[in-house]
Amino acid sequence: MTTTPKTILVLGATKGIGRATVERALAQGHRVRAFARNPDALDLTDEGLEKVAGDALDPVAVAGALEGVDAVAYTLGVPINRDTVMGQVDFFSRTTAVLLEAMAAAGVRRLVAVTGFGAGDSRDVMSVLERLGHGAILGRIYDDKTRQEALIRESDTDWTIARPVILTNGGPSGRYLVMEEPAAWRNGLISRADVADYIVRAIEENSQIHGTPVLAYGPAGKKAGKKKAA
């Protein structure tokens, strides 16, 4: 499928899903603005890559990064440590509030935001054991991801909330399930590279507007033989 190249702002571009999204978008011929506190940590060079230093909590920096972009990929994360396990977490909701206000001012509508399985109403389909384990380690983080999702849902953007399951460092397979209906939601595995593939495809195709899909490989962690997409 041939698509018109877009300029994509990636928030949290130096690690994990963010870095994989930068790589995938560049490989697809898009222009990427990589936004991070230390963008030089992104050891990539490409004619289509622009590195921008900034704090996602700084409205001025975020507004500047949005100039001339077609879409935003929100891939920010926090470390799992004593502070995020035991303390108050508000990073996701605060950065999202800053981003949404800046997007409204800039007239940028397309947003694909990564949260995770267990955020929002996807928590309702977890088993009791899953909730206990998930809550013990990631409870504070996912409480804030739920607040983040609520802000996004209430916004006047063309948003998609992507909810990957347990992340791995495997390479891209191009074969994963995009589970749109709550009855299909379940836990499992997916690589960061395949989450990045989904993000870029959703932006390219402008698909699953106001969707909240769970992303995973097939049953028992096996990759699905056929990609399910919008």
Side-chain angles (χ1 to χ4, degrees):
M1 178 179 178
T2 302
T3 61
T4 302
K6 300 180 183 294
T7 299
I8 303 172
L9 172 63
V10 180
L11 298 181
T14 59
K15 298 178 181 179
I17 293 171
R19 180 191 172 95
T21 301
V22 172
E23 293 176 339
R24 182 59 179 163
L26 291 173
Q28 290 293 98
H30 300 292
R31 296 175 294 274
V32 176
R33 185 168 296 157
F35 184 93
R37 289 184 179 181
N38 179 22
D40 289 336
L42 183 65
D43 56 345
L44 298 174
T45 56
D46 189 282
E47 290 183 358
L49 176 62
E50 177 188 1
K51 299 178 184 180
V52 177
D55 187 332
L57 289 168
D58 180 352
V60 174
V62 174
L66 282 165
E67 292 180 6
V69 307
D70 300 303
V72 179
Y74 180 108
T75 67
L76 292 165
V78 296
I80 299 175
N81 55 32
R82 180 179 176 84
D83 289 340
T84 56
V85 172
M86 303 298 294
Q88 178 64 35
V89 176
D90 60 7
F91 177 78
F92 299 103
S93 56
R94 290 175 64 203
T95 53
T96 296
V98 170
L99 174 63
L100 292 173
E101 183 174 350
M103 287 180 67
V108 178
R109 294 192 55 82
R110 187 65 174 121
L111 170 65
V112 179
V114 178
T115 59
F117 180 66
D121 56 354
S122 67
R123 183 178 185 275
D124 297 339
V125 304
M126 284 182 154
S127 69
V128 173
L129 288 178
E130 282 178 328
R131 289 187 193 181
L132 288 173
H134 191 268
I137 303 299
L138 301 174
R140 307 291 180 107
I141 292 173
Y142 272 74
D143 284 348
D144 195 45
K145 285 179 179 282
T146 296
R147 291 188 289 269
Q148 174 192 17
E149 288 194 0
L151 290 172
I152 293 171
R153 286 173 178 270
E154 293 165 4
S155 72
D156 186 28
T157 59
D158 295 330
W159 55 263
T160 302
I161 296 172
R163 294 163 163 172
V165 291
I166 298 169
L167 296 168
T168 75
N169 290 322
S173 72
R175 296 177 291 129
Y176 51 86
L177 302 178
V178 179
M179 295 175 281
E180 302 178 64
E181 299 301 323
W185 292 346
R186 54 164 179 73
N187 215 334
L189 300 172
I190 190 168
S191 72
R192 292 172 175 85
D194 275 329
V195 177
D197 177 75
Y198 171 78
I199 292 169
V200 175
R201 288 179 61 246
I203 290 173
E204 288 176 342
E205 299 167 9
N206 207 31
S207 58
Q208 294 186 302
I209 304 297
H210 297 169
T212 58
V214 171
L215 310 178
Y217 294 137
K222 295 180 180 178
K223 298 174 184 177
K226 182 178 179 182
K227 182 187 294 183
K228 306 292 184 181

